Amino acid sequence: MKTIERSKIYQASPEEVFDCLDDLSVTGMHMTKSSMPMMGGKMNVELLSPHQKGLNTKYRWTGKVLWMVLDFTVHVTEWIRGREKSWETVGVARMIIMSWFKMNLKVEGNNQQSTAHLSINYEKPRGFFNRMLSFLLAGWYSRWCLNNMLNDAARKLAHVSKRHAIQGRTAVGEQW
């Protein structure tokens, strides 16, 4: 099993950072758009549980990379509001460079600044061709995903913070 970790510091409370990184529309965004690391492919996501966040949330990813079909289901196995989340593939996973993965998010800090720690553990696939692709690409792709998730969250938090600052100035200006 291989583990890759990344961390990022945010100028926001742990709860704000966790809520942002717990939002699949933010952290899954990089997989739903055509990109070079996805070899021009993109993924679709389908919510399989009645709730979008929290323990036991399930969602299914489907798509293609080049000529190869991707289809896997992810299940949230641990969720502590504002602090920690773990999710992993369940059932039969049709992936190319991994046979299984588990991701973990931990957020710590205070009201002014927080650090998010994001990691992925994965197992290599079976078969010579996929094992070779995994050897060449899995680490690079995992780092790309982790960095995108953390950076997309930073952009979202900066946008929200800027919007609140503008709204705050408008409200003060109206009081004059």
Side-chain angles (χ1 to χ4, degrees):
M1 187 176 335
K2 178 91 172 166
T3 301
I4 296 177
E5 301 174 353
R6 290 288 183 263
S7 297
K8 189 164 186 75
I9 297 171
Y10 300 90
Q11 301 306 313
S13 71
E15 293 78 17
E16 291 171 306
V17 172
F18 183 86
D19 284 345
C20 189
L21 284 162
D22 192 28
D23 183 348
L24 194 56
S25 71
V26 175
T27 56
M29 186 176 4
H30 66 282
M31 290 176 46
T32 61
K33 296 178 180 176
S34 182
S35 66
M36 193 282 292
M38 295 285 292
M39 303 293 181
K42 61 182 179 178
M43 304 288 293
N44 297 309
V45 64
E46 172 189 5
L47 184 65
L48 300 177
S49 55
H51 50 282
Q52 293 183 2
K53 295 182 178 185
L55 189 62
N56 295 319
T57 300
K58 276 189 176 180
Y59 40 94
R60 179 180 178 196
W61 290 94
T62 56
K64 287 186 180 181
V65 172
L66 294 176
W67 64 93
M68 296 176 267
V69 173
L70 300 173
D71 187 348
F72 57 93
T73 299
V74 178
H75 177 228
V76 176
T77 57
E78 183 177 2
W79 192 83
I80 303 169
R81 180 183 275 302
R83 291 193 350 215
E84 188 169 357
K85 175 183 177 181
S86 294
W87 61 104
E88 65 185 86
T89 55
V90 294
V92 176
R94 291 183 69 185
M95 298 185 288
I96 301 165
I97 58 176
M98 300 172 188
S99 62
W100 168 90
F101 69 83
K102 180 177 185 173
M103 297 187 76
N104 184 262
L105 166 66
K106 290 184 182 179
V107 181
E108 59 189 14
N110 56 45
N111 285 335
Q112 306 300 319
Q113 182 174 301
S114 303
T115 303
H117 306 280
L118 194 56
S119 66
I120 182 169
N121 299 309
Y122 65 88
E123 293 179 358
K124 293 179 182 176
R126 297 180 194 264
F128 178 76
F129 180 71
N130 285 12
R131 285 184 79 76
M132 287 301 296
L133 286 176
S134 180
F135 174 77
L136 295 171
L137 300 173
W140 173 80
Y141 181 78
S142 295
R143 286 186 289 280
W144 177 78
C145 281
L146 296 176
N147 288 335
N148 269 286
M149 293 169 78
L150 293 169
N151 291 335
D152 287 345
R155 279 189 286 281
K156 174 77 172 192
L157 288 166
H159 178 73
V160 169
S161 179
K162 185 177 179 181
R163 189 174 64 219
H164 286 299
I166 290 170
Q167 289 172 346
R169 276 186 283 193
T170 303
V172 171
E174 291 172 353
Q175 291 175 355
W176 289 84

